[in-house]
Amino acid sequence: MQAPLHDLPGLDFDACERVRYARDATFDGVIFIGVTSTRIYCRPVCPVRQPLSRNVRYFASAAAAEAGGFRPCLRCRPETAPHSPAWSGARATVSRALRLIDEGALDHGDVDHLAERLGVGARHLARLFRRYLDTTPTAAARTARVQRAKRLIDTTRCTMTEIASLSGFRSLRSFNAAFRDIYRKPPSALRRPAPAID
C-alpha cells in the first residue's frame, strides 16, 4: 500500500519516487528522503542501495527531515546539497530569508529582527516557512549552523570550540547538544583521523 505524501507540498509520492529511483540531480537540495527503518535522511543523489518505498518519507528541507526525527546521511552529506531554486519569484521572501539564515542572521539575532529585515511580520514569516519548507526559521537556522560546523569538521583541523564559534553556536554546550540530537553522536566522533605522515 502506498504511503500518502504529506511531508512535501506540491509534489506527490509517485513523482518523488521517480526522482529517487533516477537519482535525479535536478532535485538535489529540493527534496530530502527520510528512511524510516534507519531514521537517516539523504539527498536524491545518494549512492546507497534504494530503500523500500514503504520505508520512505519525503521532506522539503533538511530542517523538516531533522524535525521529523531523521539524522543526516554520512555518505551523501546533506550539508553539501546545493541551494534550491524552488522558492524564486513569488516565494522570494523565503529564498532571501534562507540566504540571510545561511549568512548567520539568527546566530545572534531573533526571528523578529529577521522578519523586520525582510519587511514582513514574524508570524507571516513563520507561515511562509511552514508552507514552503514545512519547518520554522529557528529550526532552519539550527540546521544551517550544524551544516556549517560539519563542513568545518570535514575540511579543517580547527578545534571543536573554534568550530562551534565559527559556525554561529552561542556555546560549546549547544553545539554538542545539536550534534548529539541530529547525528546521535558528539561532533568529535565525526572527524576523520588525520592522514599519517611518512
Side-chain angles (χ1 to χ4, degrees):
M1 186 173 88
Q2 182 164 297
L5 179 65
H6 51 78
D7 300 299
L8 184 60
L11 286 179
D12 64 22
F13 190 87
D14 290 334
C16 289
E17 285 286 273
R18 286 191 294 276
V19 167
R20 176 169 70 92
Y21 279 108
R23 289 190 166 91
D24 189 342
T26 310
F27 289 86
D28 192 13
V30 177
I31 66 170
F32 294 88
I33 302 155
V35 182
T36 59
S37 57
T38 61
R39 304 307 295 174
I40 290 172
Y41 75 92
C42 299
R43 297 159 60 185
V45 296
C46 190
V48 300
R49 192 177 71 177
Q50 295 282 9
L52 298 173
S53 295
R54 69 173 179 260
N55 295 332
V56 171
R57 290 179 66 194
Y58 293 99
F59 298 92
S61 66
E66 290 168 12
F70 294 84
R71 64 182 172 81
C73 175
L74 293 175
R75 184 125 179 233
C76 68
R77 299 173 55 213
E79 72 276 5
T80 63
H83 293 293
S84 167
W87 306 285
S88 58
R91 300 166 183 150
T93 300
V94 175
S95 180
R96 186 164 169 235
L98 286 173
R99 189 169 56 254
L100 291 170
I101 287 170
D102 281 342
E103 293 168 1
L106 293 182
D107 293 349
H108 304 289
D110 60 17
V111 175
D112 288 333
H113 182 66
L114 173 62
E116 186 180 312
R117 287 178 68 182
L118 295 165
V120 298
R123 290 179 69 187
H124 181 60
L125 183 62
R127 279 194 298 271
L128 290 175
F129 266 68
R130 184 57 64 194
R131 178 178 175 190
Y132 293 114
L133 301 176
D134 195 25
T135 193
T136 65
T138 303
R142 180 180 183 230
T143 296
R145 282 192 289 276
V146 170
Q147 290 179 347
R148 260 183 253 138
K150 179 63 167 58
R151 286 191 294 270
L152 289 169
I153 290 169
D154 290 342
T155 61
T156 73
R157 300 313 295 169
C158 292
T159 67
M160 293 301 153
T161 303
E162 291 168 332
I163 289 172
S165 177
L166 290 168
S167 302
F169 284 92
R170 294 179 184 176
S171 71
L172 187 59
R173 185 177 186 172
S174 64
F175 170 69
N176 286 324
F179 269 81
R180 284 191 181 278
D181 188 39
I182 292 171
Y183 281 98
R184 315 294 194 264
K185 54 181 70 174
S188 57
L190 298 172
R191 174 161 272 167
R192 297 180 186 112
I197 300 172
D198 294 332

